[in-house]
Amino acid sequence: MKRLITSESVTEGHPDKVCDQISDAILDECLKQDENSRVACETVTTSGLVLVVGEITTKAYAPIEKIARDTIKEIGYDDPKLGFDYSNVAVLTSLIEQSSDIAQGVDKAQGYEDGKEDYDKIGAGDQGMVFGYADNESDSYLPISVVYVQRLAKRLSDVRREGILPYLRPDGKSQVTVEYDDGKLTRIDSIVISAQHSADVELATIREDIIREVIDEVIDEDLIDENTKIYVNPTGKFVIGGPKGDSGLTGRKIIVDTYGGYSKSGGGAFSGKDPTKVDRSAAYMARYAAKNMVAAGLCDKLEIGLSYAIGIARPLSIYVDSFGTGKYDDEKLLEIVEENFDFRPKAIIDKLDLKRPIYRKTAAFGHFGRDDEDFTWERLDKVEELKKY
């Protein structure tokens, strides 16, 4: 049976990603000065305006306006002709301290008594569920469509920044549809690239350049055939972009940030949140566990789901789904996961070393599948231990 599955990504100049990066840049500055900072910071942007809201409790001094402007400039919005630039945008803030009702459950989990195991002391920062996923379709342990859309978006950014295609602007999107036949990847059905550009370049030039410098540089030619559809700027032009063309909001690209639709989403965003927020840290840990399980050969694909209650350290539930690919049934795989991975918030923070200012760079081009030593949740350091099973 043939099946088509689509994934998308966006560049760092997309309005929602501008907001994610500002929020995570603020988080990084707080963690740089105070590793115990509690941050839940969201950003809204539109033409000429950035609004930063949320709750922050920290000993650090974070100059919000400067951080926002520096981030916007680094992304590439540095010219008034773009309709949105770092020097002219208005930056407004509305920030308060973390609620004491929330803080008490994080600082000391419900039911914790002095002398008990330290990892039981810190409660989850909120209720909710998270999911982690991995498969063996690529070296990144992600589905190939997710790998390709991330690389296309990154390449689109690189050819702009390196001056290879100097007419490009910061905003852009990529989309890849792959075809499976009886569960096996057979071909790429379609590729879509939408790239913001200056007004003085023709569509034919943009199409030719992007196919040559972006698509051909990223996509395996063996997966493209005469029926593969390639669309470049299908509306005809993309001059007005970024926050000038559309509003942006932190956390609105959670499928882009995660698994491209291959796995469930708990609905909680990542950016702007310190690691006591399990919708970020536990999602990282679930990915770490799933990736190591798959890499150890225990299954070809694995989804791990966790649920939490605010102020409670241990997950309320853990489930696994190997989609019928496991060397054991899912009940046994769950036992292995529970024996080898600790999903309590403080255990996660310690294991993945999450109190570091590493988050700004997670906020564009995906949180998973990245080859960067700071992305500790991508490490395969449990594989040999898991192979004993």
Side-chain angles (χ1 to χ4, degrees), residues 169 171-173 194-198 206 233 235-242:
R169 300 295 179 255
D171 198 356
K173 290 185 175 184
S194 294
Q196 185 188 12
H197 59 88
S198 62
I206 298 170
N233 286 10
T235 65
K237 67 175 182 177
F238 186 3
V239 174
I240 301 172

Side-chain angles (χ1 to χ4, degrees), residues 131-138 140-143 259 262-263 286-295 299-304 321-323 325 368 377-378 380:
F131 298 91
Y133 176 83
D135 63 33
N136 58 10
E137 196 169 289
S138 70
S140 302
Y141 293 91
L142 287 175
Y259 306 106
Y262 280 80
S263 176
R287 160 64 177 175
Y288 170 73
K291 184 176 180 180
N292 277 269
M293 291 283 287
V294 171
C299 46
D300 293 336
K301 59 176 68 175
L302 187 65
E303 180 181 79
I304 297 176
D321 186 352
S322 66
F323 307 92
T325 69
F368 306 122
W377 49 94
E378 292 297 312
L380 293 173

